[in-house]
Amino acid sequence: MLFPRLLLCLSVWALCGSAKPTERKERVVREAPLSAREHDDAQSFDYDHDAFLGADEAKSFDQLTPEESKERLGKIVGKIDEDKDGFVTVEELKAWIKFAQKRWIYEDVERQWKGHDLNEDGLVSWEEYKNATYGYIL
């Protein structure tokens, strides 16, 4: 009788010792990073391109020749220079990076909205939301 109890205690102890600790979820919502790429200027400028142009625009720049890339960047710099003094300040550059990131968010929201608005009336009813979100379960 003592042996089965001892065996049970040892089994429970072994299971508890090998179990993973529970994950602690952070309660603070942090802004998404400017790029999913690693920031290492010694290797490449991919992170900077994503942050400056936005991920989609950066992909299109990868396909351009250096001359085309310079020409398009020159046009973008004209948009960044809000006071049109011929120089880009740190504040103007920060504002542009925030704009590029928000533009991606707004475009993603628009795609999501179209995916939920099944009857394309410009509104998302509870039924449409439920079907788009949980439809595979129902």
Side-chain angles (χ1 to χ4, degrees):
M1 190 71 174
L2 182 63
F3 182 72
R5 287 184 182 174
L6 181 62
L7 185 59
L8 179 63
C9 288
L10 285 174
S11 298
V12 170
W13 177 77
L15 284 174
C16 289
S18 66
K20 288 185 177 180
T22 58
E23 260 186 63
R24 182 172 180 226
K25 295 188 179 183
E26 194 167 334
R27 294 177 190 248
V28 177
V29 177
R30 306 219 185 267
E31 288 186 18
L34 295 175
S35 173
R37 300 178 184 197
E38 189 172 327
H39 191 205
D40 183 4
D41 290 341
Q43 297 295 319
S44 74
F45 296 107
D46 291 337
Y47 178 92
D48 299 325
H49 292 170
D50 279 4
F52 185 72
L53 301 167
D56 292 338
E57 189 73 16
K59 287 178 190 172
S60 71
F61 265 77
D62 291 343
Q63 309 303 318
L64 301 175
T65 65
E67 293 79 22
E68 292 171 322
S69 182
K70 285 180 185 178
E71 181 182 330
R72 286 187 56 189
L73 281 173
K75 290 177 184 176
I76 291 172
V77 168
K79 294 177 185 177
I80 297 170
D81 183 17
E82 293 176 353
D83 59 8
K84 306 297 180 205
D85 66 351
F87 297 96
V88 174
T89 65
V90 172
E91 290 77 23
E92 289 171 330
L93 186 57
K94 285 181 183 179
W96 175 261
I97 290 172
K98 286 181 182 180
F99 166 77
Q101 296 305 309
K102 286 181 181 178
R103 181 180 58 196
W104 182 86
I105 291 169
Y106 291 136
E107 289 171 359
D108 188 50
V109 167
E110 187 66 30
R111 278 192 297 272
Q112 293 288 332
W113 188 267
K114 288 178 181 175
H116 285 74
D117 184 14
L118 302 176
N119 65 1
E120 299 178 0
D121 65 351
L123 304 170
V124 176
S125 70
W126 173 244
E127 285 300 315
E128 288 174 316
Y129 176 77
K130 210 169 48 172
N131 287 334
T133 305
Y134 305 109
Y136 65 93
I137 296 173
L138 302 173

